[in-house]
Amino acid sequence: MELVRATEAAAIRAVPFIGRGDKNAADKAAVDAMRVFLGTVNFDGVIVIGEGEKDKAPMLFNGEHVGNGTGPACDIAVDPIDGTSLTAEGRQNALSVIAVSSRGTMLDASSVFYMDKIVTGAAGFGVVHLDQPIGDNLRALSQATGKPIGEMVVAVLNRPRHEGLIDAIRAAGAGTRLMSDGDVAGGINAARYGTRIDMCVGIGGSPEGITTACALKALGGFMQGRLAPKDDAERARAIAAGLDVDKVLDLDDMVSGDNTFFVATGVTDGGLVDGVRRKGPIIRTESIVMRGKSGTVRRVVADHLAAKWL
């Protein structure tokens, strides 16, 4: 619940900037709010995936210590707004996110911005693989789940780099759910039971990949990733940091062990959680909390007295 308070605060503070076209202002408001609340949490946290590295924000940078210094030693991944452009444009699926694991268990992939990923539910284990053509993966998953390919939906970021991938998905007979931003929700929905998304694929942010891996520890889903340096200089930095850019990473490579927590609060409405809503004198938030060790997923709906947030 201490982590939920931090994502709730970030989401609430971002609300005045929804649809206003200024993603940096929305991001700063969320960063400032999250940092204050993280400072009250009973843990000794070190940020492995930080907002400062990702968006050149002034706070929550890689290596920063957060928490009050008591309690367990933890690795932290933060994204005060996963989907700053979505927030600025007033579109769906913007989230405020925190992921936590035991100290030394979260892969520091900060030297490489992008990661190629594939995410499915538990049926994907031993069935799909990042190196297989997407058509083969879809046919294999269809056979494993008993779901016709024509009824399957694949989430993928709508980027020019994915034009060939999108064409191949459709050629195989599946539909696409094109995401304009924020692929954490896409990956989680691919692994969750009972959603319309069967698979999430493509190149997105490596920070988002590690964050998604923390959630999948609780969902029991399948995920693989491979770092995708954008040029030779970034590849050299990755190698210097001890990263294997050619290795197909599984969940334990990204986050070792099951002592993980994933917390997300909706900024705008989406398929994972509802966004922040003002209802008369209260502000209502919806959050999702996942714990890897117990495999539990909880939803937290909270009403906040608006007068306390003025």
Side-chain angles (χ1 to χ4, degrees), residues 129-248:
H129 196 280
L130 189 63
D131 284 336
Q132 290 181 173
I134 186 64
D136 291 350
N137 279 328
L138 285 167
R139 285 184 284 272
L141 189 62
S142 173
Q143 185 174 8
T145 60
K147 185 174 185 177
I149 290 182
E151 297 178 10
M152 298 178 77
V153 178
V154 181
V156 56
L157 283 169
N158 190 12
R159 298 288 189 271
R161 63 177 176 269
H162 289 151
E163 288 179 0
L165 176 60
I166 292 168
D167 289 344
I169 293 168
R170 293 170 176 170
T176 54
R177 178 72 57 84
L178 299 183
M179 303 176 292
S180 58
D181 202 355
D183 62 345
V184 171
I188 290 173
N189 282 326
R192 281 200 307 143
Y193 176 77
T195 73
R196 284 282 293 125
I197 306 299
D198 300 283
M199 184 183 294
C200 182
V201 296
I203 297 174
S206 57
E208 287 82 356
I210 305 303
T211 302
T212 302
C214 285
L216 262 69
K217 290 283 185 169
L219 294 170
F222 168 84
M223 180 178 181
Q224 288 179 334
R226 180 166 47 221
L227 298 172
K230 59 180 179 289
D231 52 34
D232 290 340
E234 192 173 66
R235 174 179 283 269
R237 286 197 299 272
I239 293 171
L243 297 172
D244 185 346
V245 297
D246 298 315
K247 181 180 180 180
V248 174

Side-chain angles (χ1 to χ4, degrees), residues 40-285:
T40 69
V41 178
N42 293 317
F43 65 3
D44 176 15
V46 173
I47 294 178
V48 175
I49 297 171
E51 182 71 0
E53 290 289 328
K54 178 173 171 289
D55 289 333
K56 302 188 186 305
M59 295 185 181
L60 297 176
F61 51 85
N62 283 29
E64 182 175 356
H65 282 257
V66 294
N68 62 16
T70 65
C74 300
D75 287 345
I76 315 292
V78 297
D79 200 345
I81 303 181
D82 177 45
T84 52
S85 295
L86 299 176
T87 303
E89 295 168 10
R91 290 185 284 153
Q92 293 189 334
N93 291 313
L95 302 169
S96 177
V97 175
I98 296 173
V100 178
S101 66
S102 298
R103 178 69 53 80
T105 60
M106 192 178 292
L107 178 67
D108 181 358
S110 58
S111 56
V112 180
F113 189 79
Y114 288 111
M115 176 186 287
D116 195 6
K117 315 162 196 172
I118 183 168
V119 185
T120 73
F125 283 100
V127 172
V128 303
H129 196 280
L130 189 63
D131 284 336
Q132 290 181 173
I134 186 64
D136 291 350
N137 279 328
L138 285 167
R139 285 184 284 272
L141 189 62
S142 173
Q143 185 174 8
T145 60
K147 185 174 185 177
I149 290 182
E151 297 178 10
M152 298 178 77
V153 178
V154 181
V156 56
L157 283 169
N158 190 12
R159 298 288 189 271
R161 63 177 176 269
H162 289 151
E163 288 179 0
L165 176 60
I166 292 168
D167 289 344
I169 293 168
R170 293 170 176 170
T176 54
R177 178 72 57 84
L178 299 183
M179 303 176 292
S180 58
D181 202 355
D183 62 345
V184 171
I188 290 173
N189 282 326
R192 281 200 307 143
Y193 176 77
T195 73
R196 284 282 293 125
I197 306 299
D198 300 283
M199 184 183 294
C200 182
V201 296
I203 297 174
S206 57
E208 287 82 356
I210 305 303
T211 302
T212 302
C214 285
L216 262 69
K217 290 283 185 169
L219 294 170
F222 168 84
M223 180 178 181
Q224 288 179 334
R226 180 166 47 221
L227 298 172
K230 59 180 179 289
D231 52 34
D232 290 340
E234 192 173 66
R235 174 179 283 269
R237 286 197 299 272
I239 293 171
L243 297 172
D244 185 346
V245 297
D246 298 315
K247 181 180 180 180
V248 174
L249 306 169
D250 62 21
L251 277 178
D252 285 333
D253 293 317
M254 291 182 259
V255 185
S256 59
D258 291 328
N259 191 27
T260 63
F261 290 87
F262 173 91
V263 179
T265 300
V267 178
T268 59
D269 287 345
L272 190 61
V273 285
D274 287 338
V276 180
R277 302 188 179 193
R278 178 71 180 263
K279 293 180 176 289
I282 64 138
I283 299 170
R284 179 164 295 168
T285 58

